[in-house]
Amino acid sequence: MTTTSGPTSPSDAPDAAGPEDTLRGHAGQLAVAAARAHGVETLFTLSGAHVFPMYDGAVTADPPMRLLDVRHEQTAAFAAEATGKLTRTPGLAVLTAGPGVTNGVSAIAQAQFAGSPMVVVGGRAPANRWGSGSLQELDQPPILASISKQARTLHTAGEVLGGMEDAFGAAGSSHRGPVFVDVPMDQFFDTAEGPRPTGARPAPIEPDGEAVVRIARLLAEARRPVVVLGTDVWADGAEVAALRLVEQAGLPAITNGMGRGVVPGGHRLLVTKARSAALGGADLVLVVGTPLDFRLGYGVFGGKDDTTPARVVHVADSPGQVSTHADLADSVSGDLTTVLDGLLAALERGNRPDWGTWVGELQGTVAKAVERDSALLAAEADPIHPARIYGELVPRLAEDSVVIGDGGDFVSFAGKYVEPKRPGGWLDPGPYGCLGAGLGAAIAARLARPSAQVVLLLGDGAAGFSLMDVDTLVRHDLPVVMVMGNNSAWGLEKGPMQMLYGYDVIADLAPRTAYDGVVKALGGAGETVTDPRQIGPALDRAFASGVPYLVNVITDVEAAYPRATFGI
């Protein structure tokens, strides 16, 4: 790699002349070329001088790369994170130095917890002024190191091509996650040349075949098995193999995170609505592609009413993701398609177990849950019960819809009632539980799935973090239907505090705030709904509008989601 001092003209495009495998240009152009080689189509950002060369690199590329500018850097980073989830290609956020980078920290942490592939490029104070107190001089990689796969400075223009190739390769390989790089401002403008980026990714991790056979044997011996399919099943491209295993082996399945939809909503083997009975009564739980964290009881299942606790098998996409705190009967890591197909092949070579009776019991529990839920989904209560919103919304969701959750109590109801028909159609913050991710995710979803319904479920508390980025939806002509459960409170805190102390403080928001008025002021549309019979017609107007539209439903603060865990 060679470097030439001094900036290039903003109109200079990367020079393809000379050897076909060599690229020359300023560092911003080289960074964009590397991103494009890895499948990036959109650069999410908020304008900042430290990263001007990347903007020039985007607009002078052939063809130009889409620039999408937002109103808060957190939205740019959340949009990149959601792009990584939806497309399984690393998203790209470019954040200016100092506060631009630190404003993106929560989204980067969310990506680390959720295994979302993304690359964040930060601006950095110029190297030739380092240590003298130039604007926003901050050594950023140490701040990002604990919440990313890699965090480093590319100190010279000559390091940018190779450094960006490494960053995208790391972000997109198992276990996926965020990578952060920053480039000194003076070096960003400098010219360099180097090998044309290839976009190559590391080969998949080959699982231990003997472990796969052992796990198949455990499955065959089980009388009441359950398989849990999580986000990494989707991220690893194993959704087809997962459904094949479930259907051909006859395994009852529970899905979470972006594993939702791998077994389509309404499928006879999807027993998420019987989750408590399934996990409580199982004698073996096969957990695939999700950590054994608070969402799964830390990997302890059954053991109630004098029954023996279930044996637990953990299947992960890489060795570092296998649980170290749970008591495992066995585990295996590697390419999830290879593992799941290997399990099915091993089961078919042996005596095929018949789990029909167990599946029938769980189907009965699912049916009872559906019948029990029907009353709430049709509730005529005043104030409106949050479940009634889903009673109106779910029948209106298309098979290819993308549903995004950004909130606490209101979105918890979504997890109960929304069962996607396809994989890759559900986005939530994951185990990090970060509010404010929704507008960025909605932007990403509208770009990634231009013909699909995009529905953003907002709590009124969560909306306060990012509602200003409706302006971004409007400016970039990105219609999204936003549905708010407005209970005028921090519902996840109000109830537990009352339970602990008999009172609550700082848990209330202004009553019945007209958040739809905010959306209208920013160029969108919307309405407030107080009558449950008007929810459906309001949703129809929202879907037909072709603009960012907020249906602001005033709900009952006393109708809290009945939760079994507070995440600790």
Side-chain angles (χ1 to χ4, degrees):
M1 178 79 67
T2 58
T3 304
T4 304
S5 296
T8 59
S9 165
S11 62
D12 288 345
D15 186 4
E20 196 169 306
D21 59 352
T22 298
L23 196 65
R24 185 177 186 276
H26 66 62
Q29 293 169 323
L30 301 180
V32 168
R36 173 154 279 161
H38 285 267
V40 173
E41 297 180 354
T42 302
L43 185 161
F44 298 101
T45 193
L46 190 156
S47 187
H50 287 85
V51 290
F52 277 178
M54 285 208 68
Y55 305 157
D56 182 64
V59 300
T60 60
D62 184 17
M65 178 177 285
R66 180 193 290 120
L67 284 171
L68 195 138
D69 63 309
V70 300
R71 297 299 301 270
H72 193 307
E73 285 94 354
Q74 68 166 13
T75 301
F78 280 127
E81 192 252 356
T83 297
K85 285 175 173 173
L86 288 165
T87 67
R88 298 181 282 201
T89 294
L92 173 63
V94 177
L95 310 178
T96 197
V101 169
T102 56
N103 280 342
V105 165
S106 288
I108 296 168
Q110 175 168 295
Q112 178 78 340
F113 275 74
S116 309
M118 67 183 294
V119 172
V120 179
V121 178
R124 185 178 177 92
N128 61 9
R129 286 289 189 185
W130 194 261
S132 58
S134 61
L135 176 66
Q136 297 168 342
E137 182 180 304
L138 176 68
D139 190 16
Q140 295 156 162
I143 297 172
L144 280 300
S146 68
I147 53 169
S148 56
K149 292 186 71 173
Q150 296 177 8
R152 60 183 287 211
T153 297
L154 306 178
H155 290 282
T156 68
E159 295 178 39
V160 168
L161 263 179
M164 289 291 286
E165 280 268 68
D166 290 345
F168 278 98
S173 60
S174 301
H175 181 62
R176 295 157 188 84
V179 173
F180 175 81
V181 299
D182 62 9
V183 182
M185 185 177 185
D186 51 345
Q187 293 299 312
F188 241 151
F189 282 91
D190 265 358
T191 300
E193 65 178 33
R196 187 176 296 276
T198 64
R201 295 186 183 180
I205 300 170
E206 189 66 27
D208 178 353
E210 293 182 2
V212 171
V213 171
R214 292 196 307 269
I215 293 168
R217 190 177 302 123
L218 288 173
L219 265 176
E221 293 169 355
R223 292 171 39 244
R224 300 183 306 280
V226 174
V227 60
V228 178
L229 303 172
T231 291
D232 290 335
V233 173
W234 164 257
D236 213 42
E239 66 275 10
V240 173
L243 182 58
R244 184 162 51 232
L245 172 65
V246 166
E247 290 185 330
Q248 295 189 21
L251 276 168
I254 292 170
T255 58
N256 77 1
M258 289 202 74
R260 296 165 62 92
V262 170
V263 181
H267 195 287
R268 65 183 185 84
L269 291 168
L270 181 65
V271 297
T272 303
K273 291 184 182 297
R275 176 190 176 100
S276 180
L279 296 180
D283 61 0
L284 184 137
V285 179
L286 174 67
V287 180
V288 184
T290 191
L292 297 173
D293 56 19
F294 68 93
R295 298 170 299 171
L296 287 174
Y298 304 102
V300 178
F301 308 104
K304 298 178 182 178
D305 301 324
D306 297 323
T307 61
T308 303
R311 293 179 293 181
V312 180
V313 174
H314 199 194
V315 178
D317 65 355
S318 56
Q321 294 302 302
V322 175
S323 175
T324 57
H325 67 265
D327 182 13
L328 299 178
D330 213 329
S331 66
V332 67
S333 61
D335 178 68
L336 294 183
T337 293
T338 303
V339 172
L340 295 169
D341 282 344
L343 288 174
L344 180 59
L347 283 172
E348 289 178 338
R349 287 194 298 269
N351 295 323
R352 290 294 301 271
D354 182 3
W355 298 308
T357 301
W358 168 235
V359 169
E361 291 175 15
L362 295 178
Q363 288 172 336
T365 304
V366 168
K368 290 178 183 177
V370 170
E371 183 179 358
R372 187 169 57 249
D373 291 343
S374 62
L376 282 180
L377 292 170
E380 296 284 349
D382 181 13
I384 295 170
H385 194 289
R388 175 61 186 268
I389 301 173
Y390 295 106
E392 299 291 342
L393 175 63
V394 169
R396 290 171 166 83
L397 292 177
E399 190 168 309
D400 67 346
S401 62
V402 179
V403 179
I404 302 155
D406 187 7
D409 225 53
F410 177 58
V411 174
S412 295
F413 283 100
K416 183 178 179 68
Y417 298 123
V418 178
E419 290 189 333
K421 297 291 187 181
R422 295 182 185 177
W426 170 269
L427 289 171
D428 62 28
Y432 195 53
C434 190
L435 297 182
L439 263 295
I443 291 165
R446 174 48 67 222
L447 294 176
R449 310 276 174 83
S451 63
Q453 286 179 339
V454 176
V455 179
L456 170 58
L457 307 172
L458 279 170
D460 53 325
F465 286 79
S466 61
L467 199 61
M468 189 67 192
D469 263 302
V470 166
D471 171 74
T472 302
L473 294 175
V474 171
R475 284 185 296 109
H476 292 277
D477 191 21
L478 302 172
V480 169
V481 172
M482 295 165 280
V483 183
M484 177 180 287
N486 183 351
N487 64 2
S488 307
W490 296 104
L492 277 183
E493 286 66 40
K494 189 176 181 72
M497 192 170 185
Q498 289 175 339
M499 178 186 69
L500 289 169
Y501 298 110
Y503 68 89
D504 65 87
V505 294
I506 61 168
D508 291 307
L509 299 168
R512 299 195 170 201
T513 298
Y515 294 100
D516 50 301
V518 177
V519 172
K520 291 176 185 176
L522 293 171
E527 57 189 286
T528 293
V529 177
T530 58
D531 182 343
R533 294 168 296 181
Q534 292 304 312
I535 297 171
L539 290 172
D540 291 336
R541 288 188 286 272
F543 282 119
S545 70
V547 299
Y549 197 109
L550 176 63
V551 180
N552 177 25
V553 185
I554 308 301
T555 61
D556 184 2
V557 71
E558 299 298 327
Y561 184 79
R563 60 192 63 255
T565 175
F566 294 107
I568 55 176

